[in-house]
Amino acid sequence: MGTQKKKQHSLTEEVDKEKRYSLFLHNDDFHSFDFVIDALMDICHHSTQQATQCTYLIHFKGKCDIKQGSMEFLRPMRQALAGRSLKATIK
C-alpha cells in the first residue's frame, strides 16, 4: 500500500508541475482596449467580462496573468498573441 500512495503522490506532483506556468500579457501604448479585448476572447477564450477586466489590469498594472496551464497549452496562445503584435510571456 505504501508503494501505491507513493505512485499517486508522484503522479499528483507531475500534474502540478504541468500547471505551474502562467501566460502574461504586457501593456503597450499602441493597441486599443477593444483590440486587446477581442484578442483575449478569440485566442484565450475569455468571456467579454473577463477580457475587459484583464485589459484594465494590464493597462493599470503593466501586465496581467491571463491564463495558466502547461507549457504545451500556453505556447500556442503566446504565439497567437505575438502574431497580433501583443507582448506576451510565459513564466
Side-chain angles (χ1 to χ4, degrees):
M1 184 160 168
T3 306
Q4 186 177 5
K5 276 188 176 181
K6 193 179 258 186
K7 284 182 182 177
Q8 287 176 344
H9 182 69
S10 177
L11 180 60
T12 302
E13 286 177 359
E14 289 301 315
V15 170
D16 288 344
K17 285 180 186 175
E18 286 183 14
K19 295 182 180 180
R20 290 187 187 211
Y21 295 99
S22 293
L23 177 62
F24 289 90
L25 188 59
H26 300 266
N27 191 36
D28 64 36
D29 294 328
F30 307 107
H31 298 95
S32 70
F33 274 57
D34 287 337
F35 182 87
V36 176
I37 291 167
D38 288 342
L40 290 172
M41 290 172 33
D42 292 344
I43 296 167
C44 300
H45 308 290
H46 284 194
S47 67
T48 303
Q49 183 179 9
Q50 185 180 15
T52 302
Q53 289 173 346
C54 286
T55 301
Y56 276 103
L57 286 170
I58 293 162
H59 178 73
F60 289 111
K61 301 235 178 207
K63 66 180 179 180
C64 179
D65 177 358
I66 58 170
K67 204 72 156 174
Q68 298 86 37
S70 68
M71 186 64 73
E72 293 78 22
F73 176 69
L74 298 176
R75 190 175 288 129
M77 289 182 213
R78 191 203 63 74
Q79 291 170 341
L81 290 165
R84 294 192 188 191
S85 300
L86 295 167
K87 182 180 179 193
T89 56
I90 300 173
K91 292 182 183 186

